[in-house]
Amino acid sequence: MRLPQLLSLRRGKNLFLPAHGRGNALTMETRRLLRNKPGVWDLPDLPEVGGPTCNGGAIMKSQTEFAEVFGAKKCWYGVNGATGLLQSAVLAIAKPKQAILMPCNVHRSVLQACILGDITPLLFDLPFLEDRGHFCPPSFAWFQKVLEKLKNENISFSAVVLTNPTYQGYSEDLEPLIKEIHKFKMPVLVDEAHGTYFSSPLADLNLPKSALNAGADLVVHSLHKSALGLGQTAALWLQGDILDPIIVERSIALLQTSSPSALLMASCESALYELFSISGRRNLRNSIETARELVFQLRKEGVPLLETQDPLKLVLHTSSVGINGINADDWLINRRIIAELPEPGTLTFCLGFARHRGLRSLLKLTWDKIVSSNIERNSFPPFTRPPSPLIKTLNTSLLESFKADWEIVPLSHSVGRVSSDFISPYPPGIAILLPGEKLNNEFVSWMIDQRIFWPEQIPSKIKVVV
Ligand SMILES: Cc1ncc(COP(=O)(O)O)c(C=O)c1O
């Protein structure tokens, strides 16, 4: 089948991202634009339109206006997802050979930017939920332990990246962590790819605090993941006085296409507008309240949905009955129910902002069917966390090991070697092994064990530096 035909296929129940639910919740403005003569919106950076890093033009004006609405100093739209803007942000906060402190569940785009900029990642361990195999963001007490350890071991760094919320929706209040980091006048970049709508003014709904309100210097939003933007739309916000906007803008220009799509730029604006407009807020409130009620009812009916802080994510605890979430996903796809994030312990559905009529009975029925099916069962949980120290440092530079000559060896023969491989099951895009890591016995055994859960994603042979 040719791609255009494939894209117009009906898929059954869409419980995946983008959050506009295959157009069902797109903003009125975007719908109107798309109903125009096909392609009429496909404009280059004409003087009146401009681009995210142009002086003048409608895009710059729009970014400036929204920076003001969000209480930020600067805003830039992006057309390569949160990925592209995270990478620019990382290049803006550190120089070659400097180190950035970041959590071990950081999205791989941050690590890829470290390769590009010859920056050293200092990965700190996180609380791990063994019943489902998920990391959660650090509490203040946890983060203080990390800082203490860095101080005792005399390890220096120049910036911090935090991820909040996680893909599954776990979130912590980052304000005390950011305040602590600011005591050292260091910038904090927050990957809030999954939490754009936390910045909407709906205080009574008890949503997690947006990193913009928690005082982060740079915040990246994926507008297609957690607002109503089209695929690839994103926004980067700058606030405070630690970072120079010129340096951030230079880094954006470094990685950005010279022809950003005008349609995607318009979609960025429209998605942000929706977070603040009266009708947008009403719709958002509706989505959140409906989702909370759905979870409440499904739990009452015995469907094991785990608790996270993002009401629009439904995290089905498949491993609570010994079913791998990846197998459950295959089973559901065959029945035309398409989830977002299959993992060994869970299957996460994204409700997004579209309405889902009949979802409660569909999910209840499906869960009952899967439990009584002959789908493969295993004896898990518990899941074991990766055997990593509180702070993971690399043995050689990430860039040098990535570019080094390599050979392929069976995982079981890799002990004592330095990895040249970047292994990161996708989704969720969290790295298991980085270039520059020296492989020890304990870690290799853990990786071999993980192959039971991720047979397609963790290879039996890896690249090591020769
Ligand atoms: C935590 C996190 N950050 C960033 C990204 C990248 O987002 P995008 O798809 O908008 O590039 C993802 C994608 O899965 C993610 O989960």
Side-chain angles (χ1 to χ4, degrees):
M1 191 184 297
R2 303 284 305 279
L3 192 52
Q5 290 155 303
L6 184 74
L7 298 192
S8 34
L9 275 186
R10 286 177 172 273
R11 304 224 151 251
K13 196 74 205 150
N14 307 319
L15 295 167
F16 52 82
L17 301 172
H20 58 67
R22 297 204 84 200
N24 286 324
L26 269 185
T27 66
M28 283 316 285
E29 269 180 339
T30 310
R31 278 162 195 265
R32 244 178 259 132
L33 186 59
L34 291 172
R35 271 202 298 264
N36 266 295
K37 183 168 159 266
V40 72
W41 31 260
D42 210 4
L43 289 172
D45 55 349
L46 300 172
E48 70 202 284
V49 180
T53 55
C54 288
N55 257 335
I59 293 173
M60 195 207 75
K61 187 163 168 272
S62 170
Q63 293 177 159
T64 309
E65 276 171 17
F66 275 101
E68 204 170 304
V69 173
F70 278 70
K73 205 181 207 173
K74 292 283 269 178
C75 163
W76 292 273
Y77 299 157
V79 295
N80 186 21
T83 297
L85 290 177
L86 278 169
Q87 291 179 333
S88 296
V90 167
L91 295 182
I93 56 175
K95 295 185 175 141
K97 310 285 180 215
Q98 285 186 330
I100 300 182
L101 182 65
M102 57 184 77
C104 61
N105 70 341
V106 73
H107 187 252
R108 65 185 183 187
S109 55
V110 172
L111 295 160
Q112 286 158 347
C114 291
I115 296 180
L116 290 176
D118 196 11
I119 295 163
T120 306
L122 279 178
L123 290 137
F124 65 91
D125 201 10
L126 287 173
F128 182 78
L129 300 165
E130 290 185 349
D131 63 341
R132 61 202 81 170
H134 292 165
F135 287 111
C136 336
S139 62
F140 181 54
W142 184 283
F143 192 67
Q144 273 184 316
K145 267 197 311 186
V146 171
L147 293 181
E148 195 62 32
K149 175 107 178 142
L150 286 161
K151 193 170 152 207
N152 292 342
E153 297 192 1
N154 228 351
I155 302 175
S156 60
F157 53 97
S158 57
V160 179
V161 175
L162 298 170
T163 307
N164 196 58
T166 65
Y167 208 147
Q168 303 86 0
Y170 303 105
S171 178
E172 273 282 343
D173 180 6
L174 297 185
E175 195 167 350
L177 284 74
I178 294 173
K179 279 198 174 137
E180 193 65 22
I181 302 160
H182 279 169
K183 286 185 188 160
F184 308 99
K185 301 265 176 278
M186 261 185 225
V188 185
L189 158 64
V190 178
D191 173 357
E192 199 168 69
H194 292 276
T196 309
Y197 77 94
F198 298 168
S199 56
S200 180
L202 288 168
D204 59 312
L205 285 184
N206 199 18
L207 291 173
K209 189 187 285 172
S210 165
L212 281 168
N213 301 330
D217 304 273
L218 290 171
V219 180
V220 173
H221 285 146
S222 180
L223 299 179
H224 63 105
K225 281 184 157 48
S226 50
L228 285 171
L230 290 169
Q232 291 189 213
T233 53
L236 170 63
W237 308 91
L238 165 74
Q239 54 183 10
D241 295 321
I242 297 183
L243 289 167
D244 181 347
I246 295 175
I247 293 180
V248 179
E249 193 154 294
R250 268 164 58 109
S251 301
I252 293 171
L254 200 64
L255 298 182
Q256 184 191 261
T257 166
S258 49
S259 326
S261 153
L263 172 66
L264 295 186
M265 291 283 133
S267 175
C268 287
E269 179 184 285
S270 192
L272 295 178
Y273 180 76
E274 202 67 5
L275 292 176
F276 279 82
S277 72
I278 293 176
S279 64
R281 277 190 277 167
R282 193 175 48 235
N283 293 340
L284 185 53
R285 173 182 296 281
N286 213 343
S287 299
I288 293 167
E289 285 173 349
T290 311
R292 284 185 172 149
E293 179 61 21
L294 174 72
V295 170
F296 176 75
Q297 293 298 341
L298 282 170
R299 279 206 192 113
K300 237 173 47 180
E301 289 171 345
V303 181
L305 292 174
L306 291 166
E307 192 172 334
T308 74
Q309 286 66 49
D310 181 349
L312 300 183
K313 301 266 166 77
L314 298 191
V315 186
L316 184 63
H317 196 190
T318 57
S319 60
S320 64
V321 294
I323 298 174
N324 185 323
I326 298 170
N327 296 343
D329 191 39
D330 290 340
W331 193 92
L332 288 178
I333 288 172
N334 285 331
R335 286 147 186 90
R336 296 167 58 77
I337 300 174
I338 326 287
E340 168 70 16
L341 172 61
E343 295 176 278
T346 54
L347 182 60
T348 300
F349 303 98
C350 289
L351 298 174
F353 304 98
R355 280 202 194 156
H356 299 280
R357 287 206 176 81
L359 187 58
R360 177 180 150 201
S361 51
L362 179 69
L363 288 181
K364 163 72 178 142
L365 199 74
T366 307
W367 176 249
D368 290 346
K369 276 192 187 156
I370 201 167
V371 169
S372 57
S373 73
N374 55 5
I375 192 169
E376 184 186 328
R377 304 290 174 115
N378 283 290
S379 55
F380 50 65
F383 293 93
T384 46
R385 59 160 60 242
S388 296
L390 185 59
I391 315 281
K392 182 151 93 178
T393 50
L394 300 180
N395 292 71
T396 49
S397 131
L398 189 59
L399 172 64
E400 277 165 31
S401 314
F402 183 73
K403 297 293 264 181
D405 290 336
W406 43 264
E407 63 173 330
I408 295 181
V409 297
L411 202 47
S412 53
H413 289 70
S414 64
V415 174
R417 306 293 300 268
V418 173
S419 161
S420 174
D421 227 335
F422 199 131
I423 297 178
S424 157
Y426 197 89
I430 296 172
I432 286 184
L433 180 68
L434 294 181
E437 269 190 66
K438 189 162 183 179
L439 290 140
N440 63 33
N441 209 356
E442 204 188 353
F443 195 80
V444 169
S445 306
W446 177 81
M447 269 185 72
I448 291 171
D449 288 349
Q450 295 304 299
R451 277 182 41 76
I452 300 168
F453 305 128
W454 307 88
E456 310 281 329
Q457 307 244 26
I458 300 183
S460 58
K461 293 180 174 174
I462 61 163
K463 298 186 189 75
V464 291
V465 175
V466 289

